[in-house]
Amino acid sequence: MSATVKVLIADDQSLVRRGLALMLAPEPGFQVVAEAADGAEAVRLAHEHRPDVVVMDIRMPVLDGIAATERLTAELPGCRVLALSTFDMDEHVVGALRAGACGFLPKDISPEDLVAALRVVRDGEAILAPRLLTRLISRHVTAPDHRTEPPVPSGAEGLTPREREVWRLIAVGSDNTEIADRLGVSASTVKNHITALFAKLRVRDRAQAVIAAYETGLVRARREP
């Protein structure tokens, strides 16, 4: 893997694109390879420049960020996507996560946090903090009606009791260290369970695993009054 993180910035606001690019300009090990003003251009430029990470605005003309993310994760599986969010979280962020984004960043992110997030995502991890993720999903992911049998994702039937418990703990916001402490096992054992869990559920990362947990009714959202 190259030491340089190649970044493509997609946002329909030129000031946002320029601001993000200027944040990365003084950072060693980062290269902004292209900027796109809409989702269709982002997909085209990603094929041309093969970035490691695309910072993707959700609401854009021509092709929105969710549709562009879905295309990128299907057509360029080695390209990771970070969705851009406005001040507050909304249902479009969940749509981006479901489409394959690795997490989201607020548009007012600090340069330090942007750099850290891009490194984490380039290395194959999701960037959403667990409790932030569960707060978002609990607001906007529709859980199954309690009167009906919850849908079971393909592969979930083969989960062991321990893998199902790890899945539940991920969904309620526990990180790997907290899961290890709760179950009385090592962090490496937790990682092994998560790897097996993701493979069986056919989810790409922690974000999609949490979405699946809420959608299947494994855990239920606590709605705000």
Side-chain angles (χ1 to χ4, degrees):
M1 184 180 292
S2 171
T4 299
V5 182
K6 296 188 293 183
V7 181
L8 187 155
I9 298 170
D11 194 291
D12 61 340
Q13 299 181 47
S14 59
L15 285 177
V16 173
R17 295 197 306 271
R18 203 82 297 270
L20 292 171
L22 288 172
M23 285 185 189
L24 295 176
E27 295 292 334
F30 286 89
Q31 178 187 7
V32 176
V33 295
E35 297 178 19
D38 59 65
E41 186 179 25
V43 173
R44 179 179 63 79
L45 290 175
H47 277 276
E48 180 180 343
H49 295 279
R50 301 299 173 111
D52 298 302
V53 184
V54 176
V55 180
M56 181 83 73
D57 186 19
I58 292 174
R59 299 177 181 178
M60 290 188 293
V62 184
L63 186 69
D64 66 36
I66 294 174
T69 295
E70 191 168 28
R71 282 190 56 184
L72 282 176
T73 54
E75 297 171 14
L76 295 174
C79 176
R80 310 281 289 176
V81 177
L82 274 174
L84 280 178
S85 174
T86 51
F87 173 75
D88 200 9
M89 299 176 292
D90 58 43
E91 66 275 11
H92 297 287
V93 178
V94 173
L97 295 175
R98 189 179 289 114
C102 303
F104 77 89
L105 297 173
K107 286 190 178 181
D108 60 353
I109 190 170
S110 70
E112 296 79 13
D113 287 344
L114 174 63
V115 168
L118 290 173
R119 290 195 190 280
V120 168
V121 169
R122 194 282 301 268
D123 290 340
E125 300 293 333
I127 192 56
L128 288 88
R131 288 176 180 79
L132 190 59
L133 176 61
T134 54
R135 177 187 168 198
L136 168 65
I137 292 173
S138 69
R139 288 181 176 181
H140 299 294
V141 173
T142 301
D145 191 295
H146 70 279
R147 294 166 296 181
T148 63
E149 189 69 21
V152 179
S154 175
E157 302 92 338
L159 295 178
T160 66
R162 179 50 58 89
E163 288 165 352
R164 184 171 289 273
E165 178 62 8
V166 169
W167 186 20
R168 187 190 68 79
L169 290 171
I170 288 173
V172 298
S174 301
D175 60 25
N176 287 10
T177 300
E178 291 169 335
I179 294 172
D181 291 343
R182 177 73 176 269
L183 299 181
V185 299
S186 68
S188 61
T189 297
V190 171
K191 288 181 181 179
N192 290 338
H193 285 315
I194 291 175
T195 298
L197 170 67
F198 287 3
K200 290 179 181 179
L201 293 178
R202 298 180 183 178
V203 297
R204 177 171 174 165
D205 54 31
R206 206 178 194 97
Q208 292 187 342
V210 175
I211 289 174
Y214 277 93
E215 289 183 327
T216 61
L218 178 71
V219 293
R220 293 188 180 276
R222 289 179 297 179
R223 300 296 177 183
E224 296 178 358

